[in-house]
Amino acid sequence: MEYQEAKDKFINTWGSLGTLWGINKAMAQIQALLFISTKPLSMEEIMEDLQISRGNTSMNLRQLMDWGIVTKELIPGERKDFFTTEKDVEELARIVAKERSRREIKPVIKVLNDVSSIKDDGTEKTKELIKQTKALKELTDNLDVLMNKLVDQKQNWITKSLLKLIK
C-alpha cells in the first residue's frame, strides 16, 4: 500500500470511529489528518485535503478546540491560523474521556439525582422508580469516579495494568 492510500484509509476509518467517542465523521477526519501531519495545517490545507467546505471545516475545528483536542498555533510571518492536535495517544484518550464525562455522564447523573429524589407518595410504582434510579445513579457515580481517576493519572501502575489487560 502506498502512502496516499494508507493515509486516506486511516482518515476514513478514524472518521467512522469518531462516533464511538462522541464526535461526527468530519470532526474525526480533521483530527486524524492533524494527528498524522508532520506540521500544523491551515484551514485551507485541511479543506483541500479532505474535500470539505470552509463552513464545515471552520465549525468542526471550533468544536475540536472546544473539546481541547485541537489547538491554534501561530506561525511567525503567517497571517493564517494553523492547527495542530495532541500527538500522544494516551493523552488524547484522557482528553476525550474527560470531555465525554463532562458532556454526557455528568448531565445523566444530574437527571438521575433529580428523578431519584422525587417525593415518595407511598405507591409501589414510585418506590420502584426511586429505588432503581438511585441504584443506577450510584453505579453511574462510581463509574464516573473510576474513569476520572484513571484519566487523571499519567501512566501510573493502574493505567499500565489496565492497558495490558486490554491488549
Side-chain angles (χ1 to χ4, degrees):
M1 183 180 307
E2 298 293 321
Y3 170 79
Q4 191 60 48
E5 183 183 356
K7 176 184 167 186
D8 291 344
K9 193 174 222 175
F10 172 75
I11 290 170
N12 286 325
T13 301
W14 195 259
S16 297
L17 291 173
T19 56
L20 295 176
W21 43 285
I23 67 170
N24 70 50
K25 185 176 180 175
M27 279 176 69
Q29 288 179 324
I30 291 169
Q31 195 277 327
L33 176 63
L34 293 170
F35 189 69
I36 61 172
S37 178
T38 58
K39 64 181 181 60
L41 299 176
S42 68
M43 184 182 308
E44 289 74 18
E45 290 170 310
I46 295 167
M47 290 167 41
E48 182 180 324
D49 206 313
L50 298 178
Q51 297 295 298
I52 56 178
S53 71
R54 178 175 298 280
N56 194 7
T57 305
S58 176
M59 178 184 66
N60 284 303
L61 281 168
R62 202 170 322 116
Q63 287 181 340
L64 285 164
M65 287 187 291
D66 288 346
W67 274 70
I69 297 171
V70 167
T71 55
K72 271 187 195 179
E73 201 166 295
L74 298 175
I75 297 180
E78 288 285 346
R79 294 179 67 177
K80 297 177 185 175
D81 289 330
F82 288 83
F83 302 90
T84 189
T85 190
E86 175 61 53
K87 298 285 187 167
D88 181 308
V89 177
E90 291 177 19
E91 181 61 24
L92 184 61
R94 280 190 282 279
I95 292 168
V96 170
K98 279 184 174 183
E99 191 61 20
R100 289 203 64 186
S101 173
R102 186 183 73 79
R103 290 174 181 247
E104 298 167 23
I105 296 172
K106 299 280 192 251
V108 168
I109 289 171
K110 183 185 180 320
V111 169
L112 289 170
N113 193 46
D114 292 346
V115 171
S116 66
S117 63
I118 64 170
K119 181 180 175 191
D120 186 349
D121 62 8
T123 64
E124 189 176 331
K125 62 183 180 181
T126 300
K127 287 179 192 259
E128 187 66 16
L129 176 63
I130 292 169
K131 176 183 149 193
Q132 297 301 352
T133 54
K134 277 185 178 179
L136 188 55
K137 181 193 173 301
E138 185 178 317
L139 175 66
T140 308
D141 280 338
N142 290 337
L143 291 173
D144 191 43
V145 166
L146 177 63
M147 185 176 73
N148 285 323
K149 283 183 180 181
L150 287 173
V151 299
D152 285 342
Q153 301 303 310
K154 295 272 186 178
Q155 267 300 0
N156 68 13
W157 68 273
I158 296 173
T159 307
K160 287 179 185 176
S161 299
L162 286 174
L163 291 173
K164 284 180 186 175
L165 286 174
I166 295 170
K167 292 179 182 181

